[in-house]
Amino acid sequence: MTLTTTPFGTRATAAEVLDGVDLSGRRMIVTGGSSGLGVETVRALAGAGAQVTVATRNPADAEPLVKEFPGTRAVALDLADLASVRAFCDAWSGPVDGLVANAGVMMLPAREANAQGWEMQLATNYLGHFALAVGLRTALQAAEKPRVAVVSSGAQLRAGFDFDDPQFERRPYDPFVAYAQSKTADVLLAVGISCRWAEHGIAANACAPGWIHTNLTRHLDAATMRAFGAMDEDGNLLTPDYYKTPAQGAATTVLLAASPLLDGVTGRYFEDNQESEVVDGGPDVMAGVAKWSVDPAAADRLWDLALTAVS
């Protein structure tokens, strides 16, 4: 299979990826669009003319974006609460040209669970987005060239999906393994949508935004941040050379969500604005997408598991 390439480098910004792209009349949803990468994703999409709905737990946080872009609105959505997801979908009217599954939580220090008993990182990062996509399927099909862009992470290289104990009910809870599993699940979501909905014209791809200073890392302790080279001994944030700005981190997301360069591309994984090679996952692998993250059989099995949870 030939990998999809683009002319955009690692340091390209979201605005540069959409330079010259006209999204007028297109309706986009960005979860977690009121902070971090989400803000830059919304800003690039809206700047290209899209009507963007910022789906966020606290719509008031998106007020600056709503003021900056008159075609933008903010709507309440808590991905860990399936009732909230259902209410969002029930209230939606009209087509959805692009769904950007951007919101997430990372490395919760202690195991938490949502009302359905799903471990909170998996519930938020994966299950809520699954329920949102399924609930908006008809709206996606009503669009001309609908896309789902799922924000995953390079952490998917570190852990496959544990179907025997996905909620850490028997194995010891590990914050990073739980996060990695949820990010693997995110790639499997894109693969599952591609396998099941491509015949309806819906494309879905996943991406890793790279290393960026955002509030996603708020649960990381100082020792971990220092190990990343992202904090000094006094607790001040540092920016290593391999870190990106939020605008650069959002570039691959908007590439998946709206660039005409990806017309017809589905079920793939991208990083640094290029499609990634499929590799064996492991502790020393630094790039690519793990075989377990794009396994169609695993995607199908996870889909059935999630469908039971949201039904």
Side-chain angles (χ1 to χ4, degrees):
M1 181 182 70
T2 302
L3 298 179
T4 302
T5 60
T6 80
F8 302 110
T10 301
R11 299 295 175 179
T13 65
E16 289 169 347
V17 168
L18 293 184
D19 184 32
V21 176
D22 184 5
L23 300 179
S24 299
R26 300 194 65 185
R27 305 176 74 205
M28 318 286 284
I29 299 170
V30 180
T31 67
S34 61
S35 65
L37 295 178
V39 169
E40 297 302 329
T41 300
V42 172
R43 187 169 281 128
L45 294 171
Q51 299 173 29
V52 184
T53 295
V54 181
T56 178
R57 283 186 297 177
N58 186 3
D61 292 342
E63 191 60 32
L65 281 172
V66 174
K67 290 181 178 179
E68 184 178 355
F69 299 100
T72 297
R73 64 175 186 146
V75 178
L77 175 67
D78 182 352
L79 289 164
D81 180 356
L82 292 182
S84 175
V85 177
R86 192 173 302 112
F88 181 95
C89 295
D90 288 346
W92 186 269
S93 178
V96 173
D97 294 279
L99 171 60
V100 181
N102 165 80
V105 294
M106 178 181 181
M107 290 182 66
L108 296 178
R111 183 187 182 277
E112 301 176 33
N114 74 346
Q116 287 70 39
W118 280 53
E119 185 275 319
M120 193 60 74
Q121 294 186 81
L122 189 59
T124 304
N125 299 346
Y126 168 75
L127 185 63
H129 283 126
F130 172 86
L132 186 62
V134 170
L136 294 172
R137 176 181 172 178
T138 300
L140 286 162
Q141 286 182 215
E144 184 177 352
K145 292 182 179 179
R147 294 187 186 181
V148 179
V150 184
V151 179
S152 179
S153 164
Q156 52 80 26
L157 290 163
R158 302 293 181 261
F161 193 89
D162 188 336
F163 286 98
D164 293 327
D165 187 20
Q167 315 306 342
F168 291 85
E169 295 169 309
R170 294 183 298 277
R171 54 180 169 150
Y173 173 74
D174 183 303
F176 181 74
V177 174
Y179 177 68
Q181 176 183 249
S182 76
K183 294 287 105 177
T184 290
D186 279 341
V187 186
L188 291 172
L189 173 59
V191 174
I193 291 173
S194 180
C195 290
R196 291 170 181 256
W197 297 352
E199 63 180 311
H200 301 291
I202 301 172
N205 295 286
C207 69
W211 296 81
I212 306 110
H213 280 305
T214 71
N215 63 5
L216 181 67
T217 60
R218 63 187 178 277
H219 296 295
L220 297 183
D221 59 32
T224 301
M225 292 294 286
R226 286 195 293 270
F228 291 158
M231 181 176 287
D232 65 20
E233 293 299 325
D234 296 322
N236 301 306
L237 289 180
L238 303 174
T239 304
D241 290 341
Y242 65 89
Y243 266 55
K244 296 181 181 182
T245 66
Q248 292 168 341
T252 311
T253 303
V254 301
L255 177 78
L256 271 53
S259 173
L261 295 175
L262 264 61
D263 283 349
V265 177
T266 187
R268 313 289 182 85
Y269 177 90
F270 289 73
E271 54 193 342
D272 295 334
N273 301 304
Q274 312 295 331
E275 184 181 349
S276 301
E277 293 185 6
V278 178
V279 299
D280 292 322
D284 300 319
V285 184
M286 301 305 295
V289 60
K291 291 178 181 177
W292 56 57
S293 296
V294 290
D295 178 9
D300 195 53
R301 186 178 179 185
L302 181 57
W303 188 286
D304 290 340
L305 178 66
L307 198 59
T308 299
V310 303
S311 298

